[in-house]
Amino acid sequence: LEYLKFAGDLRQLDPDTFKKRARSVVEVCGLAQVLGKEIKHLSHGYRQRVGLAQALIHDPPILILDEPTSDLDPNEKAEFLEYLKQIGAERTVLLSTHNLSEVESACARAIIISKGRIVADGPLDEIRAKSGKVRYVVSVQESANGKGYRGTGAPPKETEVRDALNKVRGVGKVVELPTDERAHAYEMASDTDTDLRPDLFRMIADKGWVLLELHRDTQTLEDVFRDLTVGDAKRNRKIKGAKYEEPEEEDEEDDDAEDSDDDSDEEDSE
């Protein structure tokens, strides 16, 4: 509390305003249980909360945070991100981080910067769509498993399911996924913007097969980040300009030899 009072004095908050703001930030940042403790006796997670509280004490319209969850354990990180969501409901929060799972958890919009260039800027769904790739997973029942097959006719064979999936318009490469003997599971990639799930469902239903699973995934922010910045990463590994040359050790040996010769000459002259 003493540190928050110090931060409030720096912001020239009058006593009444400070009490109101202190009550608010203590509640938002979860500091009620440690108000009487010295900061040096707090855990790293609580110290992060104190830092967040002092940054909020004067109710700023914009809050800039740089890697705020570094060195936090999973529980502390989850709690901190929940605080950010609450804080972001009343102000703009700029979160600088390399942990893209945090961005997906706490942010509505993202900017990806590579080598000083903005390579993506917008809502998360729009950034994920920049790759143009969509992943589908389909699972079809393969055997009755002693309970009776509920499809029409006999359960389909692996080649039969694969051939049927390949014939659906918009489906790219079909890859079989590991599974048990009860099902055929496949992963498909598509570059089309059209949702293929209705066509996949209709094809399977028309054939009388039993559909166990069908879902559609867009790429994660981490996947998109790699796609957008891989060129810069490769350039960082290249040495520009002249080729690197190893130092010539022979010259040093020659110099040593010349020094020895000089010493010998001096001894001879004496």
Side-chain angles (χ1 to χ4, degrees):
L1 186 60
E2 183 178 351
Y3 178 65
L4 294 181
K5 182 64 171 64
F6 171 73
D9 291 340
L10 290 179
R11 299 293 181 179
Q12 299 181 346
L13 300 181
D14 60 71
D16 291 338
T17 301
F18 171 75
K19 289 180 180 179
K20 180 179 178 181
R21 291 299 307 151
R23 188 179 299 109
S24 176
V25 298
V26 166
E27 180 180 351
V28 170
C29 299
L31 295 174
Q33 301 298 320
V34 297
L35 279 181
K37 293 184 178 181
E38 295 184 12
I39 294 177
K40 66 180 180 180
H41 294 147
L42 299 180
S43 67
H44 185 72
Y46 269 107
R47 292 182 186 184
Q48 292 287 75
R49 299 188 198 185
V50 172
L52 182 61
Q54 69 84 22
L56 291 170
I57 195 66
H58 61 297
D59 196 19
I62 299 176
L63 182 64
I64 302 176
L65 303 175
D66 184 20
E67 303 284 358
T69 61
S70 60
D71 301 326
L72 296 183
D73 66 39
N75 291 333
E76 291 173 334
K77 184 178 297 185
E79 291 179 356
F80 196 90
L81 292 177
E82 283 300 319
Y83 299 145
L84 288 188
K85 292 178 184 178
Q86 297 177 33
I87 295 167
E90 300 177 353
R91 59 182 50 78
T92 299
V93 178
L94 299 180
L95 173 64
S96 174
T97 180
H98 289 91
N99 191 330
L100 298 182
S101 64
E102 294 179 1
V103 176
E104 291 184 306
S105 174
C107 301
R109 185 183 184 92
I111 300 174
I112 297 177
I113 300 176
S114 177
K115 305 292 288 184
R117 298 180 297 108
I118 296 178
V119 295
D121 178 9
L124 300 188
D125 288 340
E126 291 184 8
I127 293 180
R128 292 191 190 101
K130 280 184 175 292
S131 65
K133 297 178 182 178
V134 180
R135 172 179 175 266
Y136 295 87
V137 173
V138 173
S139 179
V140 177
Q141 187 175 358
E142 176 182 357
S143 64
N145 195 27
K147 296 183 179 179
Y149 183 64
R150 296 187 177 182
T152 302
K157 298 184 179 299
E158 184 274 333
T159 54
E160 188 178 358
V161 178
R162 181 190 294 270
D163 292 342
L165 292 174
N166 277 315
K167 291 179 181 179
V168 175
R169 179 177 297 179
V171 169
K173 184 178 180 181
V174 178
V175 178
E176 186 175 10
L177 299 176
T179 184
D180 56 31
E181 68 280 359
R182 293 173 295 179
H184 300 297
Y186 299 90
E187 176 183 276
M188 296 157 289
S190 174
D191 294 331
T192 179
D193 294 332
T194 304
D195 191 344
L196 299 182
R197 286 175 296 180
D199 294 335
L200 292 169
F201 175 82
R202 175 51 54 193
M203 180 274 291
I204 293 172
D206 289 344
K207 290 184 176 293
W209 297 340
V210 178
L211 178 64
L212 301 177
E213 179 183 6
L214 171 59
H215 65 85
R216 175 179 184 263
D217 297 326
T218 55
Q219 285 194 314
T220 64
L221 277 184
E222 188 170 335
D223 294 330
V224 176
F225 180 89
R226 286 197 300 265
D227 290 342
L228 294 176
T229 62
V230 65
D232 292 331
K234 289 180 178 179
R235 282 192 290 272
N236 285 339
R237 294 184 176 90
K238 295 181 179 179
I239 299 177
K240 297 180 180 180
K243 294 183 178 180
Y244 175 76
E245 296 180 356
E246 293 289 343
E248 297 181 1
E249 297 181 357
E250 294 180 358
D251 292 343
E252 295 181 0
E253 295 177 357
D254 292 343
D255 292 341
D256 293 340
E258 290 177 2
D259 292 341
S260 298
D261 292 342
D262 292 342
D263 294 340
S264 299
D265 293 342
E266 291 177 1
E267 292 177 357
D268 292 342
S269 60
E270 291 177 357

